[in-house]
């Protein structure tokens, strides 16, 4: 157990960085593979949600994505328990000063390629909490953001549209 | 006259405070009140800081009255209430973090909301200081064979952030220590100087699952300060929204508690029913969570013509669905094995901490603001306040089930008897500083709102106290002796607010 902890602390994740996109040989191989991979493996994104200071309104609507009405998993989207398993960090809240480090560490623990989605008005630009001594004022202030889904809170339908758009990338 | 008013009357009564009593007291009376709290004569409703003063809200349950004692802190200190009465301790630590006022002889002087990450310390004091970062000292636990398990602030599920430090002996929890404050957004700092409209929007964003309750508490406090009342129809529409919010949360919780006992069979239908409540709310009021619909003076949206029929249909659907869900809950031995006897919250502790909501009512404390300090429309409606004394996860599920049944009845009564009339009144400019206090029953328990307006009608000070301030500490006690694996189950059965207490 102690060895495992030490390894995790000192060696970091074993996941290798993604190959650079400008490697011509690799790109050609990828193009060949893409059709077959899509057919065989389908498309999927593993999502790790991080509450970085939300009022919990966004979380309730994110939860609703799993109910029978929205059934997120039929699109190949699923929530995972660990950032180590995630492709997407779905971040809510204006990023409080007290959650900043936890968010950065969660991001660092997520292997690439990865995307960051800012969900809700607070995550997009700080919302009503922009300017507070206790908030960074949105996810962008702390991490590069790939997709913004505004709304207070965004409805499950809006969240779903945003996440499906991300699948197309 | 309630006994509490007699005691406070020896202080200087503030004429600009409504609807109950606020008295400026001296240190001797402050200490006497703290002593009486410890003796169980009053229940602590709130303890918060101000510029150079501290306020303590007390409930006289037998007299059905609320009173506030205020103490000027000339030298930046005040006699600790937490020294005698444990429920005050985290509130005092918060006062120190935000205002820099020090409780003298406090048993716990560690910071609470301030993690040393803000650009300032004492952000709400007249002169904020430089940030002070020191490692947080968790309570020491010593003994053979004990080990610690640290969880959070980022959890495996989609829940709010908080840190839980378990000390366990094998699988049994010896001590749980909670550390919160991760979602502190500085709400009270943003409130100061804001307009009433901005304040209402902020209040509705303190705690997402209780947006109706918070907006209602804030609105009622402002209305009390200004001496106005919302029109009757607005009061009834507010009641309708509050019960829909209660339904959505309770139904969601029942499913989620069962899911944490590894029984998703009930999560799925409860999640569907919750979604139907939110869709009915959207049909009725144009927004699933009914956010920004309650403002001081009234409501911003009337019940949509098709909304009433939609909500009635929801009541029929829920009434038809519930018996089966209840029989599955009650008839599944493996599920009962997890919920019955787990996470016992002792009735004496619940009474001492003044736990509201289902946590209190599952352990014999029958307080419900709708009943003890009735406000419209509840004073004109028929409902029961279910109280059980099991004190375990099972009892907290059952209180929710019974409250769902009561809320369905309340919704029907309100739809049947909804008065006609205007939706709001214009707010007057006060002309002089004034204050109001309100206590509103959210799904989780009583939400306290204190608002002081300046002469122009802007917010000078607003304090919002979530019910979970008095529930979180009892969770620490309830988990003792349970296995760690039952913590999610116990935690969900309490379903304390993080954002609500972190503010």
């Amino acid at each position: 157990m102690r060895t495992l902890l030490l390894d995790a602390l000192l060696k970091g994740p074993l996941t290798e960085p993604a190959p650079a996109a400008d490697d011509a040989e690799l790109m050609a191989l990828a193009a060949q593979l893409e059709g077959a991979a899509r057919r065989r493996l389908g498309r999927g994104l593993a999502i790790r949600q991080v509450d970085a200071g939300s009022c919990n309104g966004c979380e309730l609507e994110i939860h609703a994505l799993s109910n029978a009405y929205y059934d997120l998993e039929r699109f190949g989207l699923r929530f995972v328990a660990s950032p180590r398993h995630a492709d997407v960090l779905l971040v809510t809240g204006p990023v409080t000063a007290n959650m900043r480090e936890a968010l950065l560490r969660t991001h660092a623990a997520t292997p690439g390629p990865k995307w960051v989605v800012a969900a809700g008005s607070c995550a997009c630009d700080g919302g009503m909490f922009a300017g507070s001594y206790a908030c960074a004022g949105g996810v962008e202030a702390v991490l590069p953001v790939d997709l913004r889904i505004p709304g207070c809170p965004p409805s499950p339908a809006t969240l779903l549209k945003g996440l499906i758009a991300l699948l197309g990338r | 006259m309630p006994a509490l008013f007699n005691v406070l009357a020896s202080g200087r009564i503030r004429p600009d405070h409504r609807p109950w009593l606020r008295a400026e007291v001296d240190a001797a009376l402050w200490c006497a009140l703290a002593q009486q709290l410890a003796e169980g004569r009053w229940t602590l409703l709130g303890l918060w800081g101000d510029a150079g003063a501290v306020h303590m809200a007390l409930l006289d349950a037998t007299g059905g009255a609320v009173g506030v004692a205020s103490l000027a802190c000339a030298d930046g200190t005040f006699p600790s209430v937490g020294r005698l009465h444990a429920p005050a301790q985290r509130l005092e630590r918060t006062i120190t973090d935000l205002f820099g006022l020090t409780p003298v002889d406090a048993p716990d002087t560690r910071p609470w909301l301030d993690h040393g990450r803000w650009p300032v310390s004492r952000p709400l004091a007249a002169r904020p200081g430089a940030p002070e970062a020191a490692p947080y000292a968790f309570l020491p636990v010593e003994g053979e064979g004990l080990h610690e398990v640290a969880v959070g602030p980022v959890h495996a599920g989609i829940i709010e952030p908080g840190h839980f430090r378990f000390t366990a002996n094998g699988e049994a929890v010896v001590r749980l220590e909670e550390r919160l404050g991760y979602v502190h957004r500085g709400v009270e700092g943003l409130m100061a100087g804001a307009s009433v409209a901005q304040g209402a929007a902020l209040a509705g964003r303190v705690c997402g699952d209780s947006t109706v309750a918070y907006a209602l508490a804030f609105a009622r406090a402002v209305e009390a300060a200004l001496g106005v009342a919302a029109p009757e129809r607005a009061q009834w529409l507010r009641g309708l929204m509050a019960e829909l919010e209660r339904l959505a949360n309770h139904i969601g919780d029942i499913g989620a508690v069962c899911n944490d006992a590894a029984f998703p069979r009930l999560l799925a239908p409860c999640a569907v029913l919750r979604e139907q409540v939110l869709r009915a709310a959207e049909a009725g009021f144009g927004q699933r969570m009914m956010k920004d619909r309650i403002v001081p003076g009234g409501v911003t949206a009337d019940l949509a013509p098709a909304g009433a029929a939609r909500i009635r249909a929801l009541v029929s659907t829920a009434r038809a669905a519930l018996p089966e869900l209840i029989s599955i809950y009650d008839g599944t031995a493996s599920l009962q094995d997890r919920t019955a006897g787990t996470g016992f919250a002792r009735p004496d502790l619940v009474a001492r901490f003044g736990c509201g909501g289902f946590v209190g009512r599952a352990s014999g404390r029958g307080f419900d603001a709708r009943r003890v300090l009735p406000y419209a429309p509840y004073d004109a409606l028929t409902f029961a306040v279910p109280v059980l004394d099991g004190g375990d996860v099972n009892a907290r599920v059952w209180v929710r089930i019974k409250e769902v049944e009561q809320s369905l009845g309340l919704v029907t009564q309100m739809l049947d008897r909804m008065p006609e009339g205007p939706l709001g009144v214009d707010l007057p400019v006060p002309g002089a500083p004034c204050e109001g206090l309100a206590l509103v029953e959210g799904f989780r328990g009583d939400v306290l709102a204190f608002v002081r307006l300046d002469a122009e009608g802007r917010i000078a000070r607003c304090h919002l106290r979530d019910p979970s301030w008095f529930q979180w500490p009892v969770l620490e006690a309830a988990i003792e002796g349970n296995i760690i694996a039952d913590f999610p189950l116990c935690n969900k059965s309490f379903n304390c607010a993080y954002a609500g207490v972190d503010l």
Side-chain angles (χ1 to χ4, degrees):
Chain A
M1 181 65 189
R2 208 175 297 154
T3 335
L4 188 71
L5 278 174
L6 268 176
D7 279 358
L9 278 173
L10 300 176
K11 294 185 183 163
L14 289 173
T15 316
E16 286 168 347
D22 55 359
D23 187 328
E25 197 185 358
L26 209 71
M27 290 297 280
L29 196 65
Q32 266 181 6
L33 264 175
E34 193 177 51
R38 277 275 166 92
R39 253 194 331 274
R40 286 190 187 147
L41 303 173
R43 300 188 302 181
L45 283 180
I47 305 167
R48 171 65 250 197
Q49 196 269 339
V50 183
D51 176 341
S54 155
C55 72
N56 197 29
C58 290
E59 279 65 34
L60 293 173
E61 294 297 53
I62 291 169
H63 260 295
L65 288 173
S66 299
N67 74 33
Y69 285 89
Y70 303 103
D71 191 14
L72 185 78
E73 298 210 3
R74 77 194 132 135
F75 301 105
L77 301 164
R78 66 188 197 284
F79 292 111
V80 292
S82 165
R84 299 261 191 249
H85 306 152
D87 307 306
V88 175
L89 287 187
L90 182 62
V91 187
T92 61
V95 187
T96 58
N98 290 350
M99 269 307 285
R100 186 190 170 101
E101 188 187 335
L103 175 61
L104 287 172
R105 284 204 202 178
T106 308
H107 187 255
T110 309
K114 55 189 165 188
W115 293 271
V116 175
V117 178
S121 302
C122 293
C124 288
D125 60 6
M128 288 207 73
F129 303 104
S132 165
Y133 64 87
C135 296
V139 181
E140 185 90 82
V142 178
L143 286 175
V145 172
D146 298 286
L147 179 73
R148 286 173 192 76
I149 307 177
C152 184
S155 68
T158 309
L159 285 164
L160 206 49
K161 272 185 228 158
L163 292 172
I164 290 172
L166 199 66
L167 268 183
R169 289 200 180 183
Chain B
M1 194 194 236
L4 178 61
F5 288 178
N6 285 329
V7 175
L8 287 177
S10 60
R12 198 170 74 89
I13 306 286
R14 294 281 306 207
D16 53 356
H17 183 91
R18 282 180 289 266
W20 296 294
L21 217 60
R22 179 161 86 83
E24 288 165 347
V25 303
D26 57 18
L29 183 50
W30 179 269
C31 292
L33 286 165
Q35 182 62 45
Q36 288 159 3
L37 268 175
E39 288 161 7
R41 196 164 167 207
W42 327 118
T43 306
L44 187 64
L45 280 185
L47 181 63
W48 66 98
D50 211 328
V54 284
H55 309 288
M56 172 161 65
L58 304 166
L59 169 74
D60 176 355
T62 50
V66 175
V68 179
S70 304
L71 177 70
C73 309
D75 58 352
T77 68
F78 61 98
S80 168
V81 179
R83 180 175 62 93
L84 300 165
H85 192 54
Q89 288 179 12
R90 287 180 183 174
L91 292 159
E92 287 183 343
R93 292 162 70 185
T94 299
I95 290 172
T96 307
D97 286 354
L98 297 181
F99 287 91
L101 303 170
T102 311
V104 177
D105 292 333
D108 191 343
T109 55
R110 295 172 299 167
W112 179 245
L113 294 181
D114 189 349
H115 292 193
R117 307 292 176 121
W118 305 335
V120 290
S121 61
R122 334 186 276 277
L124 304 187
R127 274 191 299 276
E132 295 161 16
Y136 189 77
F138 284 92
L139 298 176
V141 187
E142 286 172 22
E144 206 174 333
L146 297 182
H147 66 280
E148 280 193 345
V149 182
V151 183
V154 177
H155 300 276
I158 302 171
I159 62 167
E160 299 182 82
H163 181 86
F164 300 110
R165 185 67 60 102
F166 298 93
T167 304
N169 187 350
E171 282 202 78
V173 177
V174 177
R175 167 181 269 167
L176 161 64
E177 187 178 358
E178 299 154 353
R179 190 183 185 207
L180 305 177
Y182 291 92
V183 286
H184 175 75
R185 293 145 291 165
V187 170
E188 298 194 352
L190 292 166
M191 281 280 189
S195 69
V196 163
Q198 285 168 318
L202 268 172
R205 284 160 179 77
V206 168
C207 185
D209 52 25
S210 301
T211 178
V212 170
Y214 269 85
L216 180 55
F218 177 82
R220 289 190 62 85
V222 170
E223 288 158 10
L226 293 171
V228 298
E232 201 185 7
R233 183 174 176 82
Q235 307 245 31
W236 281 61
L237 289 173
R238 289 171 171 187
L240 187 55
M241 289 188 237
E243 294 314 311
L244 287 172
E245 183 174 86
R246 200 179 321 278
L247 281 171
N249 284 309
H250 278 354
I251 292 168
D253 276 2
I254 294 167
V257 170
C258 295
N259 193 51
D260 278 343
F263 198 70
R265 167 71 185 88
L266 273 178
L267 174 70
C270 286
V272 165
L273 200 51
R274 175 185 155 84
E275 178 69 19
Q276 287 168 337
V277 177
L278 297 184
R279 290 182 177 199
E282 187 176 24
F285 297 99
Q287 216 263 345
R288 290 161 58 89
M289 310 266 183
M290 299 164 285
K291 199 169 250 182
D292 297 329
R293 295 306 184 262
I294 295 177
V295 291
V299 292
T300 57
D302 201 354
L303 181 59
R310 188 72 187 272
I311 296 169
R312 278 187 198 279
L314 166 77
V315 173
S316 317
T317 309
R319 283 200 195 284
L322 276 171
E324 197 202 342
L325 300 183
I326 295 170
S327 80
I328 295 173
Y329 175 76
D330 209 30
T332 305
S334 60
L335 180 58
Q336 290 287 310
D337 182 47
R338 295 291 306 279
T339 61
T342 307
F344 176 66
R346 271 167 36 206
D348 62 321
L349 213 54
V350 160
R352 185 160 148 234
F353 276 77
C355 298
F358 41 79
V359 176
R361 293 194 281 271
S363 290
R365 181 173 185 259
F367 180 80
D368 185 321
R370 296 172 299 174
R371 174 57 45 81
V372 179
L373 303 157
Y375 48 95
Y378 298 104
D379 48 357
L381 299 170
T382 310
F383 65 103
V385 177
V387 183
L388 299 175
D389 54 14
D392 54 0
V393 173
N394 183 46
R396 288 186 286 277
V397 170
W398 269 108
V399 168
R400 285 172 167 103
I401 292 172
K402 288 169 186 285
E403 287 188 11
V404 164
E405 288 162 351
Q406 293 301 318
S407 289
L408 289 171
L410 283 166
V411 166
T412 307
Q413 288 177 58
M414 285 187 272
L415 287 174
D416 285 347
R417 295 163 49 200
M418 183 64 66
E420 294 298 328
L423 296 177
V425 291
D426 290 332
L427 299 181
V429 177
C434 57
E435 326 173 328
L437 193 73
L439 200 69
V440 160
E441 190 71 19
F443 90 97
R444 206 177 254 124
D446 46 297
V447 177
L448 178 96
F450 167 83
V451 177
R452 181 163 59 244
L453 301 175
D454 64 16
E456 285 81 46
R458 299 188 79 83
I459 299 167
R461 174 84 181 100
C462 173
H463 171 71
L464 299 163
R465 193 273 300 142
D466 193 272
S468 292
W469 277 104
F470 303 124
Q471 297 164 340
W472 275 118
V474 176
L475 176 62
E476 286 186 344
I479 188 67
E480 217 177 284
N482 287 257
I483 58 172
I484 289 194
D486 274 343
F487 178 69
L489 183 60
C490 296
N491 192 26
K492 193 67 210 178
S493 77
F494 272 68
N495 191 16
C496 295
Y498 299 68
V501 298
D502 288 351
L503 282 167

